[in-house]
Amino acid sequence: MPPLAQADEVLRRVPIFKGLTEAELQFLAERAVPRDYQKGEILFTEGDSCNGLFVVENGRVRIFKSSPNGREQILTVEGPGSSVAELPLFDGGTYPASSAAIEDARVYFISKQDFHSLCLVHPQVPLKVLKVVGGRLRKLVGIIEELAFTTVRARLISVLIRMAKTGKKTAVGIEIQLPPSNQELASEIGTVRELVSRNLSRLQAEELIYMDSKTVTIPDVTRLKAELETPE
Amino acid sequence: MPPLAQADEVLRRVPIFKGLTEAELQFLAERAVPRDYQKGEILFTEGDSCNGLFVVENGRVRIFKSSPNGREQILTVEGPGSSVAELPLFDGGTYPASSAAIEDARVYFISKQDFHSLCLVHPQVPLKVLKVVGGRLRKLVGIIEELAFTTVRARLISVLIRMAKTGKKTAVGIEIQLPPSNQELASEIGTVRELVSRNLSRLQAEELIYMDSKTVTIPDVTRLKAELETPE
DNA sequence: ACCTCAGTGTGACAAAAGTCATAGGCCCGG
DNA sequence: CCGGGCCTATGACTTTTGTCACACTGAGGT
């Protein structure tokens, strides 16, 4: 069990609640229900009707679509301080995708009613929501672009580069941690386990990366980026 | 040149402006600038900074991503009474995609400033925007799902079925009109001209559709839908 | 009537993606 | 130390996708 945190401390960090007064934060904090999820546990499933929104306190949560033949496509991964599923709250529809905990996680649940009450007294909130939704939309467009135009290899290189931005610098290059399984990585780039495995091997053979189980070292990010330009 | 219309009549029909008073509509109508575009003309390009939002009076407009090698992926097609590009107005970023007129079209342009003034006096508006943005997000997720999980053939069948919903019933089936070029259709489903051509031929050979140039007749929509279930 | 031009249909390939089967590694519990 | 469960790597193969080249059609314009 993670140590208890003050709900208001958590909510204060959430972008859509920035700028609320102490009293307003308090109002929400009193009504926010903490929920603990174990690794892999489902928060909600595509098509469920939406009763409220989630705020992640710790752990990470993935939002994904799944296909009848068992494949998955991750839409986004949200970590501490993110809100999840604000949108269906406003358009009244069901969840467009499913969500599950990647690691053990604690989230707060805020009911639709409470959130709507807040919006009434604080019209700034919908504007903030629009802002984060804007970012989400951009992300989705980015995924579409990658799926429509690029190969698995290019998408894999893209995630590696994205991860490199927050990676650890070492003497021999930037060091990053791959997700716990190749399956997870495959879902992020919309393909299957085997192709991830093959392409990682190939990148290593080409000396663009070095792998030690889940730890990848990128000796030269620029050279990796260059691979994205040329078709070969 | 299309006949002149009263701007306020056009704006009244737009979802995000539903519920405004006459005075407020008037305020916008006075400030909305009409613009005429010819078929194929560009409204804005991905990466442009965003100064306002568009409302389509007539004609249709497509929003799309384009790839360095000349391919395109259509994100949505908006017709009369739709607003376009509300989002970057709120998050302050640039346009995430480009837009061009499919046919000759007239649109109204409303500047960022005017729109923000409206939002201040009328907090209902952002809520309406959230609603339409919600729909947009769902659409994008749908595109991702199709790109990630299905084949060109399935995506083609999907659009045909979607078009059938607004098609014309005849004695021999439902009749629909394909877009003016196969290229356009290809961009909608994220592939190339040739594959559209081939797959349409194949569907006709299988007697799932009948084609007479751009007019397609679907004798049995259920049978077409069944093709989506089975891998073969 | 003829030329041009944009869009089409198709065959032949090449490349990429996905499937299936198999072998092996690693960790954990008994 | 052994066995089961889970994940990984990899070869062999199929299907799908995309590219290129080329011939054909139909509408418009002069």
Side-chain angles (χ1 to χ4, degrees), chain B residues 8-222:
Chain B
D8 58 339
E9 283 311 313
V10 177
L11 297 180
R12 192 189 310 281
R13 297 172 48 204
V14 178
I16 63 174
F17 297 138
K18 280 267 163 65
L20 294 187
T21 64
E22 287 303 315
E24 288 159 343
L25 278 173
Q26 207 52 45
F27 172 91
L28 277 178
E30 278 163 16
R31 285 162 179 80
V33 185
R35 292 191 187 173
D36 288 306
Y37 293 91
Q38 294 183 311
K39 173 179 168 171
E41 218 179 328
I42 301 284
L43 277 75
F44 53 82
T45 303
E46 173 183 352
D48 286 358
S49 75
C50 167
N51 313 309
L53 84 93
F54 298 84
V55 169
V56 182
E57 177 188 325
N58 55 49
R60 281 176 311 150
V61 148
R62 68 165 201 264
I63 316 283
F64 62 98
K65 266 289 200 190
S66 40
S67 90
N69 13 336
R71 285 199 25 207
E72 282 185 1
Q73 167 74 48
I74 293 182
L75 300 178
T76 181
V77 171
E78 299 291 341
S82 295
S83 45
V84 171
E86 322 82 3
L87 241 157
L89 225 59
F90 285 95
D91 74 353
T94 60
Y95 295 113
S98 309
S99 177
I102 294 185
E103 311 127 1
D104 290 1
R106 159 166 293 185
V107 308
Y108 286 99
F109 179 79
I110 297 170
S111 85
K112 201 167 175 168
Q113 289 77 17
D114 292 335
F115 188 64
H116 278 150
S117 324
L118 179 76
C119 288
L120 286 180
V121 300
H122 207 113
Q124 290 297 90
V125 172
L127 289 174
K128 297 248 165 60
V129 174
L130 266 170
K131 222 169 189 167
V132 331
V133 167
R136 208 145 287 177
L137 204 121
R138 282 166 203 281
K139 197 169 209 165
L140 292 185
V141 171
I143 295 177
I144 291 176
E145 179 172 20
E146 291 206 327
L147 286 176
F149 301 145
T150 75
T151 64
V152 167
R153 172 177 225 259
R155 302 205 289 274
L156 182 58
I157 293 178
S158 293
V159 266
L160 292 179
I161 291 174
R162 248 173 278 147
M163 293 198 289
K165 297 207 166 104
T166 57
K168 191 167 75 197
K169 280 206 182 69
T170 73
V172 285
I174 295 182
E175 195 178 291
I176 59 184
Q177 290 298 319
L178 293 187
S181 83
N182 279 355
Q183 179 55 63
E184 171 97 13
L185 193 46
S187 301
E188 278 190 50
I189 62 178
T191 184
V192 293
R193 191 179 72 66
E194 290 95 325
L195 286 195
V196 168
S197 175
R198 265 192 245 281
N199 277 284
L200 282 174
S201 302
R202 188 170 152 212
L203 288 177
Q204 185 165 39
E206 296 170 310
E207 309 216 305
L208 290 163
I209 63 172
Y210 301 102
M211 270 193 293
D212 179 17
S213 88
K214 295 284 142 207
T215 305
V216 167
T217 308
I218 305 174
D220 184 351
V221 180
T222 319

Side-chain angles (χ1 to χ4, degrees), chain A residues 71 151-152 191 195 198:
Chain A
R71 289 207 12 216
T151 64
V152 166
T191 183
L195 287 195
R198 263 193 248 281

Side-chain angles (χ1 to χ4, degrees), chain A residues 58 137 223-224:
Chain A
N58 55 47
L137 203 122
R223 199 148 58 84
L224 200 54

Side-chain angles (χ1 to χ4, degrees), chain A residues 191-232:
Chain A
T191 183
V192 292
R193 197 175 64 64
E194 290 96 324
L195 287 195
V196 169
S197 175
R198 263 193 248 281
N199 277 284
L200 282 174
S201 303
R202 188 170 152 211
L203 288 176
Q204 185 164 39
E206 297 169 308
E207 309 215 308
L208 289 162
I209 63 173
Y210 300 102
M211 269 193 294
D212 179 18
S213 89
K214 296 283 143 207
T215 305
V216 167
T217 308
I218 305 174
D220 183 352
V221 180
T222 320
R223 199 148 58 84
L224 200 54
K225 268 189 191 140
E227 288 295 309
L228 291 179
E229 315 292 331
T230 66
E232 182 51 4

